[in-house]
Amino acid sequence: MKKFLLILFINLIFVCSAYANDDLLLKEVENNYKKMDNFKAEFKQELFHRESNTTQKRTGFIEFMPPTFIHWETKAPNRELIICNSKEVWNYLPDEELAYRYHTKVLDESHAVLSVITGQARIKDTFEIEPLESKEKNIQKFTLYPLESNPQMVEVTLSIETKTKLIKKVKVLDFFGNLNTIEFTSFSKNTSIDKKDFQINLPKNVEIEDHYKK
């Protein structure tokens, strides 16, 4: 499966007294997301490919409704659509006329980032956390290290807005040195979202690789 890349983590500084405050901030962030009926956010994304030393930039938006309804869409130059609902997960690449279908269990296995971004993951239960000093006003950063080995997510840097208790930016480093950076440019919670957005309608010429039972 072509991983659609999203990943969040946190950066470090080890001072026990400071860590207590950081721990409280992360709990507030988790509670903030759990209280939301839904949210819609626009983002900027940069994908750095280490082997070719190239960076790809694109923009898009994400819609989310608990527990697992996700609509992730990016625009040109590389369009991609990810649809998650209670029954299945779709990864559609329009330019390649290709779509992949998966069981929802794939979210647990390879898309831990989505769980963090949507506020569904218990960060302390999933990552080792290290606070990181931030020079940006009203921004607290963390480095997150997965407790379970995951080549798609070796290290994550998470930037949180201390006033809104929202995730502002996520940087994900994979095993091969590739870097996926997602920065949210707008965020609306408890907004009007149509449940049809979490269904997929594919053109007739699209090839489907069905991995649902695998």
Side-chain angles (χ1 to χ4, degrees):
M1 174 183 184
K2 291 190 176 181
K3 309 301 178 184
F4 54 86
L5 316 175
L6 310 146
I7 307 182
L8 346 98
F9 289 76
I10 311 182
N11 296 19
L12 67 108
I13 284 181
F14 259 125
V15 180
C16 292
S17 58
Y19 180 78
N21 292 330
D22 294 327
D23 189 39
L24 176 60
L25 174 61
L26 291 176
K27 288 182 180 179
E28 290 176 335
V29 171
E30 288 183 3
N31 290 333
N32 189 22
Y33 279 83
K34 287 178 181 178
K35 291 178 181 178
M36 296 181 192
D37 294 330
N38 60 59
F39 73 75
K40 182 174 182 178
E42 296 181 340
F43 61 81
K44 297 186 297 184
Q45 184 179 23
E46 290 190 4
L47 302 172
F48 171 73
H49 190 259
R50 182 180 179 183
E51 185 175 355
S52 61
N53 194 33
T54 58
T55 299
Q56 177 189 110
K57 296 182 180 181
R58 55 186 182 177
T59 60
F61 70 91
I62 179 174
E63 292 179 328
F64 171 74
M65 290 178 62
T68 59
F69 288 85
I70 299 169
H71 180 119
W72 164 275
E73 187 169 343
T74 58
K75 303 176 183 178
N78 295 93
R79 296 183 297 162
E80 184 174 16
L81 176 64
I82 298 169
I83 297 293
C84 307
N85 52 48
S86 59
K87 298 180 179 180
E88 56 194 4
V89 176
W90 286 90
N91 186 195
Y92 172 41
L93 307 169
D95 297 335
E96 299 182 29
E97 298 181 346
L98 181 63
Y100 300 85
R101 178 176 179 255
Y102 298 90
H103 192 280
T104 53
K105 289 181 180 179
V106 76
L107 293 174
D108 300 327
E109 297 168 358
S110 61
H111 297 315
V113 177
L114 280 178
S115 297
V116 180
I117 290 178
T118 56
Q120 299 300 294
R122 292 182 59 85
I123 296 177
K124 287 190 65 178
D125 295 343
T126 310
F127 303 99
E128 177 184 341
I129 305 167
E130 296 181 350
L132 181 67
E133 185 176 12
S134 175
K135 296 181 180 179
E136 300 177 66
K137 186 177 181 181
N138 299 323
I139 294 292
Q140 177 60 58
K141 295 183 178 182
F142 299 87
T143 298
L144 306 181
Y145 301 99
L147 296 178
E148 294 186 8
S149 178
N150 186 343
Q152 302 296 326
M153 187 190 306
V154 174
E155 179 181 311
V156 178
T157 300
L158 185 65
S159 298
I160 293 175
E161 290 185 335
T162 56
K163 288 187 176 181
T164 62
K165 307 300 187 295
L166 294 173
I167 296 168
K168 179 63 177 178
K169 183 187 292 187
V170 175
K171 291 184 179 181
V172 179
L173 178 70
D174 70 14
F175 177 79
F176 303 100
N178 303 314
L179 188 64
N180 178 22
T181 302
I182 300 167
E183 180 177 3
F184 294 104
T185 55
S186 70
F187 192 98
S188 300
K189 63 180 180 180
N190 301 331
T191 186
S192 177
I193 295 180
D194 193 334
K195 265 204 168 182
K196 291 181 180 179
D197 291 349
F198 305 108
Q199 302 296 327
I200 193 164
N201 294 307
L202 297 173
K204 293 182 179 180
N205 62 336
V206 172
E207 178 185 351
I208 298 175
E209 290 194 13
D210 197 336
H211 299 271
Y212 187 86
K213 294 184 178 181
K214 299 179 182 179

